[in-house]
Amino acid sequence: MCGLPLMHDPNLIVGMESGDDAGVYKLRDDLAIVQTIDFITPIVDDPYTFGQIAAANSLSDVYAMGGKPVTAMNVVCFPVGSLDISVLKQILHGGLDKMREAGVVLVGGHSVDDEELKYGLSVTGVVHPDKVVVRDGARLGDRLILTKPLGTGIMTTALKGGVVDDETLAPVVSSMATLNMKASELMQEIGVNACTDITGFGLVGHARGMIDKNQLGLEIMIDAVPIFRGVNQFSEMGLVPGGTGRNMDFYRKSIDLDGDIDRQMLDILFDPQTSGGLLIAVPKDKAEALLKGLHRNGINQAAIIGEVVSKPAGKIVIRK
Ligand code: CO
Ligand code: CO
């Protein structure tokens, strides 16, 4: 917001200054709304699939707050002069099918003629005001669970470079189109301390947000981090999106490397994700139960990737 004065309201539970995934506003003592908007440019060739991914990506911020999305509006930028309208129809169809799966009702939308195609949703969800899962609530000893593998940025860059075969791409596309709904429900059932979804700032950037204010540190065990098959190879080939370097520059001071960790692995930890998984800080004694629950519900690649430690405060130690 470029330093503009923020608005204050006693019912605003999570506002802009928190840097959280979505805003939360209390309507009643037992009801708050969760609001977010997100739209992206195409990352896969098939319009229907892109629509699914864009919608899953937009809904994710509500899930990251522990909310249940209820209504959504389409946000569309479409090059009317250069693309056939049937392409837009397929994109919206993909989005609509995801909304249906999420139990979300489409209530409207807005479109503009734009040279560059973009699609996403503005989403409103609900949550009990006492059950909001913020980003920076991690506590000492918490285990960190990541629910989806990393590498969507590198993989879609490789796709643009024309070097990915369908078999390698398929699990990545399917993961990006997968809602974080079930993972969010499971974390709410079990009770967790913090959550955020992994998107543009990469695993490290979003993990850093968990320890912004609480004088704690994080340890990430690199061998435990799930990564899509093929990502290592493409990262070695230098097929890395532009955002990776920006993320690395910005968060370099926040990481300590312990062990022999090569540049290619760092590229993966900083890889900007589209529709990435949830990163959850869960009390140690509940971590195994949550992990089992995720696996039982088809979130097979969810893994405990690290823990919350006392020092160095404000740092993420990456261990080999
Ligand atoms: Co988010
Ligand atoms: Co977002």
Side-chain angles (χ1 to χ4, degrees), residues 209-252:
M210 283 191 155
I211 49 168
D212 262 354
K213 291 174 208 140
N214 50 16
Q215 297 301 312
L216 294 168
L218 300 178
E219 260 182 38
I220 292 178
M221 311 303 294
I222 203 147
D223 292 330
V225 176
I227 297 165
F228 290 109
R229 198 179 59 81
V231 168
N232 276 297
Q233 170 202 345
F234 297 133
S235 151
E236 227 167 273
M237 290 163 69
L239 293 163
V240 170
T244 310
R246 286 193 293 277
N247 286 342
M248 215 178 277
D249 289 346
F250 195 81
Y251 292 106
R252 177 127 253 170

Side-chain angles (χ1 to χ4, degrees), residues 288-302:
E288 279 301 329
L290 178 55
L291 190 66
K292 280 205 187 92
L294 290 163
H295 291 168
R296 231 186 349 257
N297 282 278
I299 306 166
N300 298 319
Q301 303 207 62

Side-chain angles (χ1 to χ4, degrees), residues 204 220 222 255-258 261 269 316-320:
V204 167
I220 292 178
I222 203 147
I255 59 170
D256 269 348
L257 303 183
D258 182 4
I261 293 153
L269 296 180
I316 301 172
V317 178
I318 297 165
R319 276 198 209 295
K320 179 86 178 172

Side-chain angles (χ1 to χ4, degrees), residues 73-254:
M73 291 194 274
N74 281 328
V75 181
V76 178
C77 302
F78 192 79
V80 180
S82 61
L83 269 184
D84 193 89
I85 203 74
S86 67
V87 173
L88 179 57
K89 206 173 155 189
Q90 290 176 64
I91 292 171
L92 296 181
H93 192 179
L96 196 61
D97 281 354
K98 268 302 140 188
M99 286 181 253
R100 245 183 225 126
E101 187 187 330
V104 165
V105 179
L106 179 68
V107 294
H110 185 69
S111 58
V112 291
D113 188 359
D114 190 343
E115 273 172 38
E116 192 180 33
L117 200 165
K118 301 169 199 84
Y119 172 61
L121 304 175
S122 157
V123 186
T124 300
V126 291
V127 68
H128 191 290
D130 302 334
K131 294 208 78 181
V132 178
V133 183
V134 293
R135 186 187 64 159
D136 59 0
R139 293 189 198 153
L140 185 60
D142 282 356
R143 296 302 189 255
L144 297 174
I145 292 183
L146 178 64
T147 65
K148 288 182 183 180
L150 295 182
T152 71
I154 290 167
M155 193 62 78
T156 52
T157 304
L159 176 65
K160 282 184 192 129
V163 295
V164 186
D165 59 69
D166 289 349
E167 204 193 321
T168 309
L169 184 66
V172 183
V173 169
S174 138
S175 172
M176 289 190 290
T178 299
L179 296 171
N180 283 324
M181 174 169 66
K182 196 68 215 179
S184 176
E185 288 170 5
L186 290 168
M187 80 167 179
Q188 282 291 42
E189 267 168 38
I190 212 153
V192 305
N193 290 329
C195 178
T196 190
D197 59 340
I198 307 303
T199 51
F201 302 128
L203 174 66
V204 167
H206 290 281
R208 180 64 180 76
M210 283 191 155
I211 49 168
D212 262 354
K213 291 174 208 140
N214 50 16
Q215 297 301 312
L216 294 168
L218 300 178
E219 260 182 38
I220 292 178
M221 311 303 294
I222 203 147
D223 292 330
V225 176
I227 297 165
F228 290 109
R229 198 179 59 81
V231 168
N232 276 297
Q233 170 202 345
F234 297 133
S235 151
E236 227 167 273
M237 290 163 69
L239 293 163
V240 170
T244 310
R246 286 193 293 277
N247 286 342
M248 215 178 277
D249 289 346
F250 195 81
Y251 292 106
R252 177 127 253 170
K253 291 187 301 296
S254 300

Side-chain angles (χ1 to χ4, degrees), residues 35-63:
Q35 291 184 290
T36 178
I37 179 166
D38 212 321
F39 51 97
I40 56 175
T41 55
I43 46 162
V44 291
D45 298 329
D46 178 59
Y48 176 84
T49 309
F50 167 60
Q52 286 189 309
I53 292 171
N57 184 64
S58 301
L59 291 161
S60 178
D61 280 326
V62 176
Y63 294 129

